[in-house]
Amino acid sequence: DGGITQSPKYLFRKEGQNVTLSCEQNLNHDAMYWYRQDPGQGLRLIYYSQIVNDFQKGDIAEGYSVSREKKESFPLTVTSAQKNPTAFYLCASRRQGGYTFGSGTRLTVV
Amino acid sequence: AQTVTQSQPEMSVQEAETVTLSCTYDTSESDYYLFWYKQPPSRQMILVIRQEAYKQQNATENRFSVNFQKAAKSFSLKISDSQLGDAAMFLCAYRSVNNAGNMLTFGGGTRLMVKP
């Protein structure tokens, strides 16, 4: 079955360390997105990519970086510059017809 | 930039009753899409219903229906015959037709509790 895989489901990191969240899709979707969700809140856009080797900042890109070297993969790096990285991170992809979301990664920085 | 507002952080409904969740948005565009997503405790995003702004008819999907008021920029979700499985976070989202990135802009969400 096609879908989006985010790994790991839970991630713990020490303050000051960079961490990379994985997002892989086998849907042949061109566009991919990263969203952040804080407790009891909606989703905010971090970065998005429409095609390979191209990506754009979203509303809250500071302290994050991405790459899109392959169509299937859109990893998100949470850097030490992100002041409050503890959150739930959702990856999504899109082709005509709609969006598909991953199951998310819960990142806790201690 | 477009904004989406969900003014009810939490709502509760008795099982089998009807509940309406509100969503308003701000845009200067005439054509766009609106969505309601359900996010159960598993955090998986499930599309509930989608509305195209150029269609005047309100979208319906089984027990879920919307009241789309374009002039008022309002997009409320009505859940009829509420079931325990409806307990979830409900997220309203907007997408511009002219947006090259096709990204969704979300509201803050409404957590729905269903009482047995």
Side-chain angles (χ1 to χ4, degrees), chain A residues 30-102:
Chain A
D30 293 309
M32 297 186 74
Y33 308 85
W34 274 106
Y35 287 92
R36 169 181 171 141
Q37 187 175 29
D38 292 287
Q41 297 188 28
L43 278 62
R44 292 183 290 167
L45 182 66
I46 305 172
Y47 267 99
Y48 65 97
S49 169
Q50 295 287 91
I51 55 172
V52 174
N53 292 323
D54 186 57
F55 47 82
Q56 306 295 329
K57 292 182 179 180
D59 300 319
I60 55 165
E62 185 176 348
Y64 299 97
S65 66
V66 294
S67 63
R68 188 86 186 275
E69 297 176 2
K70 298 185 301 181
K71 189 175 187 177
E72 301 79 18
S73 179
F74 191 40
L76 173 74
T77 297
V78 185
T79 75
S80 56
Q82 168 51 231
K83 290 184 172 57
N84 186 16
T86 294
F88 183 71
Y89 292 87
L90 264 175
C91 180
S93 69
R94 180 189 177 273
R95 203 172 185 187
Q96 281 211 318
Y99 299 84
T100 302
F101 288 85

Side-chain angles (χ1 to χ4, degrees), chain B residues 17-29:
Chain B
E17 297 292 310
T18 295
V19 64
T20 298
L21 310 183
S22 69
C23 173
T24 58
Y25 55 94
D26 186 23
T27 184
S28 58
E29 300 174 330

Side-chain angles (χ1 to χ4, degrees), chain A residues 36-43 88 90, chain B residues 6-11 21-22 35-48 64 77 79 83-93 106-114:
Chain A
R36 169 181 171 141
Q37 187 175 29
D38 292 287
Q41 297 188 28
L43 278 62
F88 183 71
L90 264 175
Chain B
Q6 294 180 247
S7 59
Q8 307 149 317
E10 285 188 356
M11 291 280 286
L21 310 183
S22 69
F35 305 81
W36 277 101
Y37 280 91
K38 173 183 175 181
Q39 191 182 39
S42 67
R43 310 295 286 269
Q44 186 66 47
M45 296 284 282
I46 302 165
L47 177 64
V48 175
F64 299 90
L77 176 70
I79 306 173
Q83 300 174 0
L84 294 177
D86 293 334
M89 174 75 86
F90 283 83
L91 295 158
C92 180
F106 286 88
T110 296
R111 183 167 303 282
L112 178 67
M113 294 171 283
V114 181

Side-chain angles (χ1 to χ4, degrees), chain B residues 71-107:
Chain B
K73 297 179 185 175
S74 172
F75 183 59
S76 60
L77 176 70
K78 185 171 84 171
I79 306 173
S80 304
D81 185 25
S82 296
Q83 300 174 0
L84 294 177
D86 293 334
M89 174 75 86
F90 283 83
L91 295 158
C92 180
Y94 172 104
R95 177 169 79 82
S96 166
V97 168
N98 299 316
N99 182 341
N102 292 303
M103 68 282 279
L104 295 169
T105 299
F106 286 88

